Amino acid sequence: MTSGEARQAFLDFFMSKSHQVVPSAPMVVKNDPTLMFTNAGMNQFKDIFLGNTEPKQKRVANSQKCLRVSGKHNDLDEVGHDTYHHTMFEMLGNWSFGDYFKKEAIEWAWEFLVDVLKLNSSDLYATVFEGSPEDGLEVDKESMDLWRQFLPEDRVLLGSKKDNFWEMGDSGPCGPCSEVHIDLRSPKEKSKISGRELVNEGHPQVVEIWNLVFIQFNRKANGSLESLPAKHVDTGMGFERLCMALQGKQSNYDTDVFQPIIQEISRECGIAYGNNIKTDVAMRVVADHLRAVSFSIADGQLPSNVKAGYVIRRILRRAVRYGYTFLNFNEPFINKLVPILANQMGKWFPELTAQQELITKVIFEEEQSFLRTLETGIRMLDGIMEKASKQGKREITGNDAFILYDTYGFPFDLTELILREHSLSVSKADFEKEMKVQKDRSRSVASVETHDWIEINPNAETQFVGYDSLKSEVKITRYRTVKQKGNEQYHLVFDKTPFYAESGGQVGDMGTITSSNETIKILNTVKENNLTIHLVDKLPAEANSTFMAEVDVNKRISTANNHTATHLLHHALREVLGSHVEQKGSLVHPDYLRFDFAHFQKMTDEEIRRVESLVNEAIRQNTMVDEHRDVPMDQAQQMGAIALFGEKYGDAVRVIRFGDSVELCGGTHVSATGNIGLFKIVSEGAISAGIRRIEAITAQKAEDFLYQQVDFIKNLKALMGNPPDVMVAAEKLVNENSSLRKQIEAFTKEHVKNLKGSLISTVASKNGASVIAQKVDIDNADALKDLAYQIRNEVPDLFLVLGAEINEKPLLTVMVAESIIESKKADASTIIREAAKVMKGGGGGQPFYATAGGKDPQGLEKAIAKAVEIFEKL
């Protein structure tokens, strides 16, 4: 059975059991502060399990694309080295929201695996929760009895809390789970030891394929459990592992999920797969990471240096590094594999095909960049190795390796490999110590202590009234305390709210809530698990009071101006640049707007001006907003609304139209475009391969910007004596300045020439070298360097120390001839670092040339003397 047939069989089976098949949610999570990536099929249903949202369907099934590379669920280090761990993987799942429970879940799992897929029932094992005295939970006898209908007792095993009790996090919904494992070993291996001895022992051919989770408890912040009012089923089956079982393979990577990609890698590098463990691992890493990076880019997450973008960059660089080290790829190669992946999976995940050009371009640019980084790292490592060898050392420090890794992205294992080739080593313990310090620092910054919700009116769902009103009477339905870095904040949830919660690129509203005896500032409004949360720094004295909630009007108006302007900008860009322009990110702030979009070249000044002109023309037309709420998705698309890849939309959406601009949007907007007043682009540039970013301002901010530009021109004109034509006068000044600069350069060259002769006449023989040490009258650092190099070319066996005061600060230069470096082991950078301390400074450089700056001009001559003293002692 092919992978495509297996996926379809699963969905068809659960459709026959009255399940609604839903699309995969984006792999990149937005509007959830607790999660960067979808790491399980249940993520998109969190708010249902938490009781914050009523399910639209009681039974659901899908194939969810997942990514596990950070936090608790981190499989990155295992990927490629074993047969069944992956970064990106598909999870086949079926869910019941307060409908069926253990009986149906277990019976249907057996029916699908054995009756539909025809897996050998004698290879299957089931585990059930053994209970937990600390939680007051007994063995899950119900699940055990159900499994014993199908399996002999010796293949229904008890599992620990670690393996068979599923928890969403430190607190929240949880419950016992029952895992299905399969023994894929040969008959000969099975005869040696029973599969029951290998379940959950990490054996590559005795693996879990399906986890049936029975969510029936809520873990409170104090660790105690309480029963949930409704019981749910959440199952997840590893699609790649299932294909391994169905296709009779010993590795996920040998299935048709991965083999087309691996065979293409093998063809590109000219190395056969299956002959060498190191090259096999490298090909598996590349094949796996290609999928993770491609799906992430398709969902709107580009590689970057922060948060989710950093994770994606790290995955891609890991793949590049394996290809570079083990497969002899010195040029970008991963981007060439994108068409294979799109052809293989595009039918099921159309975003891959639609975004193929962008994915290919981004990966190519990232590969190019990192290959340059690897070259830089190798040059730096060469310098470190050379220094170690000169000092007679056979090991470099863990700190050096950490700097290479942390600052330049140079992998530790590549450092180890290169060092071994030069009969050198590195202290791994010291490197790991540096890594631990960094991780501990990150954890302390990110550490958040979240208390349980205190529920006042738990059944009330928050009604958002902020589209129609900026004021509303509200009551608090629940609140909690959150502590981070010693600061304490409080989260409030209301029965209704005029405050817009941060989402879709728009920042959250601020404002106040007021009762009869107090006013409390709303610092921000965010969404979490479908709850609208209002952040405050103090709790109301009487939480049961009725409050008047009021949005900060000025900030909301400015935000609405910028959000509507973003829509007009998007439409104008498509008009000017073409329909290939797609939104790839945005930020709508009261002070400015930021818009990221797909386009492969820099916009010209003319294009920017045309876009501005179109937006301002739309503003002057004063078009009224045409808003449609709760529109069915297919109807919205018929209206021409633009849907964004990587966004999760519900069955009913909100459509915002301003003339020809039609978008799906949940944000706040002006009632008419004329309210915006004025639109001005302040910057346009690249943020990634194929992605441009525009920053713009509107209304008062745009007016202020124009006033500043006008004032600047007026002041400049006054400074130049109010000439009739500023451009002509400015050009004249530039030409005069250039002429004067050339004269100064000529004077400086003559001065350096005279100084050189004077200094050479002072040469003294000390410690086997020609020593020149003097403070000179030079006011230019480049001239001082030029002087040092000129003297070096004329004086053999030179040891030169020059000092100068430049801009009232001391500058020290040391130059050493190669012959003196060899004979005396002199190192200019070592000498200058010590000498510079005398003038309260520091510096460095290379063994033959180094410079240092300082804070104390009075110490300059002492520093010169100190440098000579250090040399004489060598």
Side-chain angles (χ1 to χ4, degrees):
M1 184 180 282
T2 67
S3 57
E5 291 168 344
R7 188 190 290 108
Q8 191 61 53
F10 177 85
L11 299 176
D12 289 344
F13 177 79
F14 280 100
M15 281 177 69
S16 75
K17 304 298 183 185
S18 302
H19 286 63
Q20 174 76 36
V21 173
V22 299
S24 169
M27 196 167 71
V28 179
V29 177
K30 298 173 183 176
N31 302 327
D32 185 345
T34 67
L35 206 58
M36 282 196 292
F37 301 103
T38 296
N39 59 25
M42 57 72 59
N43 290 156
Q44 65 171 304
F45 306 116
K46 273 171 64 178
D47 51 340
I48 296 175
F49 294 134
L50 289 164
N52 298 333
T53 299
E54 285 294 318
K56 292 189 173 86
Q57 297 94 17
K58 292 287 188 180
R59 299 180 180 187
V60 168
N62 85 341
S63 177
Q64 174 64 51
K65 50 192 178 183
C66 301
L67 190 68
R68 289 187 178 176
V69 286
S70 58
K72 174 183 169 186
H73 299 290
N74 187 352
D75 294 341
L76 185 59
D77 291 336
E78 285 81 21
V79 171
H81 291 277
D82 65 18
T83 60
Y84 57 92
H85 278 101
H86 305 289
T87 51
M88 182 265 167
F89 61 96
E90 282 184 71
M91 187 167 295
L92 304 176
N94 60 287
W95 290 270
S96 165
F97 306 121
D99 187 16
Y100 62 83
F101 203 48
K102 294 179 182 179
K103 181 178 185 298
E104 293 85 350
I106 290 172
E107 289 176 353
W108 291 342
W110 182 264
E111 181 183 350
F112 179 67
L113 293 173
V114 177
D115 297 342
V116 176
L117 298 184
K118 308 300 182 185
L119 289 175
N120 189 341
S121 62
S122 63
D123 290 335
L124 299 178
Y125 294 82
T127 63
V128 298
F129 180 48
E130 67 183 4
S132 169
E134 66 180 348
D135 288 321
L137 299 176
E138 298 181 351
V139 65
D140 185 0
K141 191 171 185 306
E142 182 182 359
S143 293
M144 180 180 288
D145 291 342
L146 286 165
W147 278 118
R148 284 177 175 172
Q149 296 177 75
F150 308 108
L151 290 167
E153 287 190 21
D154 66 341
R155 284 196 277 130
V156 181
L157 313 175
L158 292 177
S160 66
K161 180 178 176 181
K162 173 180 173 289
D163 293 321
N164 282 83
F165 193 85
W166 181 89
E167 307 207 39
M168 185 184 288
D170 294 334
S171 60
C174 56
C177 59
S178 186
E179 299 173 341
V180 181
H181 294 251
I182 190 165
D183 186 351
L184 300 173
R185 295 175 300 154
S186 66
K188 182 180 178 181
E189 289 298 316
K190 290 175 183 175
S191 67
K192 293 178 182 178
I193 181 172
S194 169
R196 63 174 285 122
E197 304 298 325
L198 301 176
V199 169
N200 278 328
E201 293 298 324
H203 193 286
Q205 274 82 54
V206 183
V207 293
E208 172 201 340
I209 55 171
W210 206 343
N211 190 12
L212 316 177
V213 179
F214 308 118
I215 300 175
Q216 59 189 102
F217 301 109
N218 180 52
R219 175 80 68 184
K220 303 183 78 174
N222 63 8
S224 64
L225 294 176
E226 61 182 9
S227 294
L228 291 171
K231 297 177 180 178
H232 310 295
V233 172
D234 162 23
T235 87
M237 176 156 53
F239 175 65
E240 294 80 7
R241 295 184 185 187
L242 177 65
C243 291
M244 175 173 65
L246 288 172
Q247 295 174 17
K249 304 297 184 182
Q250 297 290 294
S251 164
N252 291 358
Y253 293 100
D254 293 339
T255 67
D256 67 349
V257 177
F258 288 96
Q259 272 303 301
I261 301 169
I262 288 175
Q263 290 307 317
E264 180 63 17
I265 297 168
S266 172
R267 191 187 69 80
E268 285 282 342
C269 68
I271 300 171
Y273 180 71
N275 292 343
N276 178 281
I277 184 63
K278 288 185 177 179
T279 56
D280 286 357
V281 166
M283 290 188 209
R284 293 196 291 264
V285 166
V286 173
D288 174 277
H289 291 7
L290 164 73
R291 291 168 20 117
V293 172
S294 297
F295 273 97
S296 296
I297 295 170
D299 279 348
Q301 182 55 66
L302 301 170
S304 71
N305 287 329
V306 294
K307 297 182 180 177
Y310 173 73
V311 175
I312 301 307
R313 175 165 284 167
R314 182 175 166 225
I315 295 171
L316 180 53
R317 288 185 167 190
R318 187 172 188 260
V320 174
R321 191 255 302 169
Y322 268 87
Y324 179 90
T325 306
F326 301 106
L327 303 177
N328 304 319
F329 284 118
N330 297 316
E331 298 291 334
F333 68 99
I334 298 173
N335 65 93
K336 298 176 184 176
L337 305 172
V338 175
I340 306 289
L341 178 66
N343 182 61
Q344 186 182 0
M345 301 187 74
K347 174 184 174 183
W348 305 96
F349 301 98
E351 61 271 24
L352 278 180
T353 306
Q355 301 289 302
Q356 183 176 331
E357 184 182 5
L358 175 66
I359 295 167
T360 304
K361 181 79 172 176
V362 170
I363 291 178
F364 175 79
E365 295 283 351
E366 285 288 317
E367 287 186 272
Q368 267 197 328
S369 173
F370 187 53
L371 286 168
R372 286 195 296 267
T373 296
L374 287 175
E375 290 176 5
T376 301
I378 288 170
R379 285 198 299 272
M380 291 191 65
L381 186 55
D382 285 343
I384 293 169
M385 290 190 297
E386 184 182 350
K387 184 177 178 181
S389 297
K390 285 181 177 179
Q391 294 173 348
K393 296 177 180 177
R394 307 308 306 162
E395 180 181 82
I396 73 167
T397 68
N399 185 57
D400 282 337
F402 178 75
I403 290 171
L404 279 170
Y405 169 80
D406 189 51
T407 306
Y408 301 99
F410 200 76
F412 177 78
D413 49 359
L414 185 54
T415 298
E416 276 191 311
L417 183 69
I418 294 171
L419 289 171
R420 276 199 300 273
E421 291 172 353
H422 292 79
S423 301
L424 293 168
S425 63
V426 58
S427 171
K428 190 169 185 178
D430 287 348
F431 175 82
E432 289 176 344
K433 188 189 298 181
E434 296 286 352
M435 285 291 290
K436 184 177 183 302
V437 169
Q438 185 195 59
K439 287 178 180 177
D440 289 347
R441 187 163 55 242
S442 297
R443 283 195 197 100
S444 66
V445 169
S447 177
V448 179
E449 180 185 338
T450 304
H451 293 202
D452 286 326
W453 286 107
I454 306 298
E455 298 190 345
I456 300 173
N457 182 7
N459 294 321
E461 281 196 31
T462 302
Q463 177 191 2
F464 178 62
V465 298
Y467 291 141
D468 305 310
S469 176
L470 299 186
K471 290 175 69 173
S472 178
E473 281 194 350
V474 303
K475 293 186 74 71
I476 297 172
T477 62
R478 61 174 84 179
Y479 65 88
R480 70 182 178 190
T481 304
V482 177
K483 294 180 180 178
Q484 184 174 20
K485 293 189 290 186
N487 296 325
E488 195 166 80
Q489 275 194 335
Y490 305 92
H491 291 175
L492 309 180
V493 178
F494 305 144
D495 59 340
K496 56 184 174 180
T497 181
F499 293 95
Y500 180 84
E502 180 181 333
S503 60
Q506 180 175 327
V507 300
D509 276 333
M510 302 168 67
T512 59
I513 56 171
T514 304
S515 67
S516 56
N517 56 6
E518 63 180 333
T519 295
I520 294 175
K521 286 185 178 179
I522 302 295
L523 306 175
N524 196 7
T525 311
V526 298
K527 264 194 181 297
E528 182 181 315
N529 300 320
N530 211 40
L531 286 178
T532 299
I533 296 173
H534 307 79
L535 278 61
V536 297
D537 55 13
K538 62 174 285 191
L539 279 175
E542 296 178 13
N544 283 309
S545 297
T546 298
F547 296 86
M548 178 58 71
E550 190 166 358
V551 175
D552 184 314
V553 176
N554 291 332
K555 279 186 166 50
R556 168 67 84 84
I557 289 173
S558 297
T559 303
N561 286 338
N562 287 334
H563 203 149
T564 300
T566 301
H567 284 214
L568 300 180
L569 170 63
H570 190 187
H571 180 71
L573 285 167
R574 290 170 69 88
E575 286 282 309
V576 173
L577 302 179
S579 59
H580 66 279
V581 168
E582 290 181 352
Q583 180 177 335
K584 293 299 174 185
S586 67
L587 176 63
V588 179
H589 188 276
D591 295 337
Y592 63 94
L593 65 94
R594 193 173 72 203
F595 188 77
D596 301 339
F597 59 100
H599 187 56
F600 293 105
Q601 62 191 42
K602 178 180 173 61
M603 290 179 67
T604 65
D605 291 343
E606 182 185 352
E607 286 170 338
I608 291 172
R609 188 156 292 186
R610 282 176 61 202
V611 167
E612 279 185 337
S613 179
L614 284 174
V615 174
N616 281 309
E617 182 181 339
I619 290 170
R620 289 191 297 273
Q621 287 172 354
N622 198 28
T623 304
M624 301 295 291
V625 65
D626 182 14
E627 178 195 21
H628 300 266
R629 300 181 193 174
D630 298 319
V631 178
M633 185 63 178
D634 56 351
Q635 184 182 330
Q637 289 174 324
Q638 289 171 14
M639 295 169 65
I642 296 176
L644 306 178
F645 280 106
E647 290 291 339
K648 179 185 172 185
Y649 298 104
D651 296 329
V653 293
R654 180 169 175 254
V655 178
I656 295 293
R657 181 196 295 272
F658 287 99
D660 293 331
S661 167
V662 189
E663 298 202 20
L664 302 179
C665 184
T668 62
H669 289 273
V670 297
S671 57
T673 58
N675 296 356
I676 300 171
L678 183 64
F679 171 85
K680 184 78 183 81
I681 293 173
V682 294
S683 69
E684 188 276 342
I687 60 166
S688 181
I691 305 295
R692 311 294 297 179
R693 170 172 290 172
I694 280 177
E695 291 195 359
I697 49 181
T698 64
Q700 188 63 51
K701 293 289 182 183
E703 283 187 34
D704 292 344
F705 177 82
L706 292 180
Y707 289 146
Q708 288 171 6
Q709 299 303 304
V710 170
D711 288 346
F712 173 77
I713 293 170
K714 284 173 63 178
N715 292 336
L716 183 63
K717 193 174 181 180
L719 194 64
M720 297 168 68
N722 291 308
D725 190 324
V726 176
M727 287 299 297
V728 171
E731 189 176 343
K732 182 182 177 184
L733 274 178
V734 168
N735 291 335
E736 288 176 355
N737 184 63
S738 177
S739 175
L740 289 170
R741 189 181 297 278
K742 287 176 182 176
Q743 291 179 43
I744 292 170
E745 286 174 359
F747 292 150
T748 301
K749 281 184 180 179
E750 186 65 27
H751 181 53
V752 166
K753 181 181 177 181
N754 293 334
L755 272 177
K756 180 185 70 174
S758 174
L759 289 168
I760 290 174
S761 69
T762 68
V763 169
S765 181
K766 295 181 181 180
N767 197 20
S770 302
V771 177
I772 299 173
Q774 198 166 314
K775 180 180 176 182
V776 294
D777 180 21
I778 281 183
D779 60 1
N780 183 302
D782 289 337
L784 186 63
K785 180 179 180 181
D786 182 41
L787 175 61
Y789 273 87
Q790 286 191 38
I791 294 173
R792 180 196 184 200
N793 292 336
E794 295 190 22
V795 179
D797 303 327
L798 176 69
F799 180 78
L800 170 72
V801 186
L802 296 177
E805 280 187 42
I806 300 174
N807 296 327
E808 300 181 353
K809 289 187 177 179
L811 181 67
L812 192 66
T813 292
V814 174
M815 176 73 80
V816 185
E818 289 292 337
S819 59
I820 301 302
I821 294 173
E822 290 292 327
S823 63
K824 299 296 180 182
K825 305 299 181 190
D827 185 325
S829 63
T830 302
I831 292 169
I832 208 163
R833 272 195 293 269
E834 192 63 33
K837 293 177 183 178
V838 180
M839 57 185 197
K840 298 179 181 177
Q846 296 170 292
F848 70 92
Y849 180 73
T851 61
K855 297 177 182 177
D856 180 16
Q858 302 299 318
L860 180 58
E861 294 194 13
K862 293 179 181 177
I864 295 170
K866 182 67 175 179
V868 174
E869 178 189 328
I870 294 169
F871 172 71
E872 287 179 331
K873 291 180 179 178
L874 294 177

